[in-house]
């Protein structure tokens, strides 16, 4: 087993593709595939399951890659300390539902550490992909919500994927609307009040289950529905069409301006937002620092 083989394995895990990893590593795909096969044969485990759609990480592979990542981090520290004393090229990835506080914490993390070299990734993505990213070690941290409706399904997926869920905060549902919306002056709004307006939600692609929806009450029907794939588009439509979306009420004026406001929604629901991580992987220094930044950002909303 070589350090190079460990690097190869982690690169494949990061990209979820043998071909893409080979491009990034500047080697041929057959050479990369052979190196991994030799590693698997030596260790007598299967790290990657090969399918027509690419590769996925096996249960054995997940545990192995957790150890491999720690080994490579320690080697990098040794090299930087004794070979050229260069700052460590830091890696960190987080996958999240479309929450402004996730972005604020990410910005704060980068500003605080002011690294000269880094490779950070922030994925605002679909619910199933968040689970898959953390399961397959493409992200150290995932951020999503649970409520009474989706909890059973999501917790089963967490258990099956060997993932932990840690609560960040609990919130009563709110709607995000334009500050110019006729409902903007209400102390709270009902579902009946919202009926004339377009309901905006984030599309979930191939896993378009009610349980993966980013918005609670996903099984309710509405006369006007618009699905979008990114937060900027959703906010533009909130303003341009007087639409609404259901969320936690936590919004950043610094990132989103004063054009969007949160109004309490008159329903008996609780939203529990938390972060997920892999049980077999020790959080990196940057991941732990990101969690602290999340807590710090959220204190401003309590």
């Amino acid at each position: 087993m070589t350090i190079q083989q460990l690097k190869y394995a982690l690169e494949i895990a990061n990209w979820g593709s043998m071909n893409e990893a080979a491009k990034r590593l500047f080697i041929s795909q057959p050479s990369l595939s052979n190196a991994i096969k030799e590693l698997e044969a030596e260790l007598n485990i299967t790290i990657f399951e090969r399918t027509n759609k690419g590769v996925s990480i096996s249960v054995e592979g997940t545990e192995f890659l957790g150890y491999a990542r720690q080994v490579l981090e320690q080697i990098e520290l040794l090299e930087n300390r004794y070979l050229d004393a260069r700052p460590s090229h830091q890696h960190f990835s987080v996958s999240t539902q479309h929450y402004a506080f996730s972005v604020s914490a990410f910005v704060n993390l980068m500003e605080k550490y002011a690294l000269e070299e880094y490779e950070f990734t922030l994925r605002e993505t679909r619910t199933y992909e968040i689970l898959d990213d953390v399961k397959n070690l493409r992200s150290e941290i995932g951020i999503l919500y649970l409520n009474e409706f989706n909890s059973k399904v999501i917790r089963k997926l967490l258990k099956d994927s060997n993932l932990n869920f840690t609560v960040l905060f609990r919130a009563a549902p709110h709607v995000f609307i334009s500050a110019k919306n006729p409902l903007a002056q209400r102390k709270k709004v009902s579902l009946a009040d919202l009926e004339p307006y377009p309901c905006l939600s984030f599309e979930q692609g191939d896993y378009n289950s009610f349980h993966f929806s980013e918005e609670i009450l996903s099984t309710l029907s509405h006369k006007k529905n618009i699905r979008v794939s990114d937060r900027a588009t959703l906010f533009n439509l909130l303003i341009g069409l007087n639409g609404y979306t259901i969320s936690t009420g936590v919004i950043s004026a610094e990132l989103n301006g004063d054009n969007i406001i949160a109004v309490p929604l008159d329903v008996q629901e609780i939203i529990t937002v938390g972060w997920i991580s892999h049980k077999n992987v020790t959080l990196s220094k940057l991941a732990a620092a990101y969690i602290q930044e999340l807590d710090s950002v959220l204190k401003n909303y309590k």
Side-chain angles (χ1 to χ4, degrees), residues 1 6 14 38 69 71 89 93 103 135 142 150 164 169 185 195 213 233 235 247 276 288 292:
M1 179 170 54
L6 299 184
N14 286 339
E38 290 174 3
R69 192 181 300 276
V71 169
H89 191 118
S93 295
V103 181
K135 172 187 174 181
N150 74 4
N164 286 320
F169 67 96
Q185 303 306 314
E195 192 61 22
S213 173
T233 299
F235 280 5
S247 190
I276 63 173
Q292 290 183 336

Side-chain angles (χ1 to χ4, degrees), residues 1 36-50 58-65:
M1 179 170 54
I36 296 301
K37 286 179 181 178
E38 290 174 3
L39 177 61
E40 290 176 322
E42 179 184 352
L43 299 176
N44 195 29
I45 64 171
T46 298
I47 301 172
F48 298 105
E49 303 284 356
R50 281 79 167 173
S58 69
V59 175
E60 294 175 310
T62 298
E63 183 176 14
F64 168 78
L65 291 169

